[in-house]
Amino acid sequence: MKFIFLLRCVLSDLIGIIHSLIEPSLNLLARLAFPVGLCWLAYTSYKVHGLGDMRAVYLMGASAGVLIALYFLDLLGHYLKPAELRNNE
């Protein structure tokens, strides 16, 4: 049982370190990619008088996916830690 406790603590800390390293840059890029994709889709839709470039839709979907994945990575790092060691943040 102590091994599982130690493993949860180590995994939680590793996820926290990885999250703190990748979160600032990915969060900024994902938040900027969505409006860029929206403008790209609007421009190409206006240009062809119909549905624009689907790559813009993929860009917006990837942007939303990255933001959701960052949120779940944060939750995983917080709730993987045993309850005795969690501080109420």
Side-chain angles (χ1 to χ4, degrees):
M1 197 63 171
K2 288 193 181 260
F3 177 72
I4 303 238
F5 185 80
L6 178 65
L7 186 64
R8 285 178 67 185
C9 290
V10 170
L11 282 176
S12 173
D13 288 341
L14 281 176
I15 288 173
I17 290 169
I18 291 169
H19 184 263
S20 67
L21 288 175
I22 66 172
E23 194 265 339
S25 59
L26 281 181
N27 194 2
L28 180 67
L29 285 174
R31 287 178 187 265
L32 288 175
F34 194 84
V36 167
L38 191 62
C39 291
W40 182 14
L41 181 66
Y43 172 73
T44 55
S45 295
Y46 175 74
K47 190 175 176 184
V48 299
H49 301 293
L51 183 62
D53 199 351
M54 285 303 291
R55 291 179 293 180
V57 176
Y58 299 150
L59 178 65
M60 292 188 298
S63 165
V66 165
L67 289 174
I68 292 169
L70 283 174
Y71 176 71
F72 281 123
L73 187 64
D74 187 36
L75 285 180
L76 179 66
H78 182 71
Y79 288 111
L80 189 62
K81 190 174 289 247
E84 299 88 32
L85 300 178
R86 275 187 227 145
N87 52 356
N88 296 329
E89 297 173 348

